[in-house]
Amino acid sequence: MQKAAVPYGSDVSSGTYACCDCGYEYSNTSKTSLPPCPKLEELPHSLHAWRILSGRGDAVDDPYPNGR
């Protein structure tokens, strides 16, 4: 089952993600770990996660397969 959101730092497949706290959209084209939201210092963030908009979300070798 695909997660609805993945925490900052998770290894993910390519896709588009939206910050769960502020809605900022981030796209990546290769497997990489998700960075913190670039608006983290400007706006309050408590969830520290990305919502999956497109793509498969967590990569098989996700360092946080059960979330944090």
Side-chain angles (χ1 to χ4, degrees):
M1 182 171 153
Q2 180 177 339
K3 296 177 185 178
V6 290
Y8 298 166
S10 292
D11 286 344
V12 294
S13 62
S14 61
T16 304
Y17 301 85
C19 177
C20 290
D21 291 297
C22 72
Y24 178 89
E25 289 191 15
Y26 170 78
S27 294
N28 69 340
T29 56
S30 62
K31 289 187 178 179
T32 183
S33 61
L34 286 171
C37 178
K39 296 188 178 229
L40 184 63
E41 300 297 322
E42 299 171 30
L43 302 168
H45 284 66
S46 59
L47 299 174
H48 296 217
W50 294 96
R51 186 177 67 234
I52 301 164
L53 300 179
S54 70
R56 294 182 22 212
D58 281 341
V60 175
D61 57 352
D62 179 4
Y64 307 110
N66 299 317
R68 288 201 244 185

